[in-house]
Amino acid sequence: MKHTISILCDDVPGVMTRISGLFSRRGFNIESLSVGSTDKPGKSRFTIVVNGDDMVLEQVRKQLQKLINVINVWDYKEASIVSREHALIKLKAGRNTRAELLQLVSSIPARIIDSSGDIWTLEITGDTEDVSSFIDLFKHYEILESIRTGKIALKRG
């Protein structure tokens, strides 16, 4: 089962190593990882997506809670969160495909954030499945480079 783990911690060196090491020692492959500052000065929030057994991940959550600099850990259920992912795609936008690309970009939550000659950089935002679907729409064009952030999530309400 897929789990979205959110970790609030102090923003100090070494926290990433301790957290990722705990997942590594348990044999979990981290599917996505995002870290950023929060509204609280000196605090960071990790959002980690992993697949795993519910009982084993509950043990991991409890062990994370015991780490130095970790303030709180949540294992979010999908229905209880709002989540987003972000992707950047650099592609070739030749004269013959520009009109078609513009129409495609305007039909999904995407926008052109840079255009340099025949090279466009697109920004796409949505939930994990939406971003994957939107990237698939551009596979018929010449993608030069792409990158995705990991999932970020907040509990509803």
Side-chain angles (χ1 to χ4, degrees), residues 65-99:
Q65 191 70 55
K66 293 177 184 175
L67 291 177
I68 295 171
N69 304 116
V70 170
I71 298 162
N72 210 341
V73 181
W74 301 270
D75 184 358
Y76 289 144
K77 305 294 179 226
E78 282 302 312
S80 68
I81 60 172
V82 175
S83 65
R84 287 293 178 264
E85 244 186 70
H86 198 83
L88 298 177
I89 301 174
K90 186 185 292 182
L91 51 79
K92 187 159 181 130
R95 291 179 188 264
N96 297 336
T97 58
R98 285 185 187 168

Side-chain angles (χ1 to χ4, degrees), residues 105-119:
V105 167
S106 65
S107 68
I108 62 173
R111 65 188 184 124
I112 302 165
I113 58 171
D114 185 60
S115 64
S116 304
D118 288 348
I119 309 296

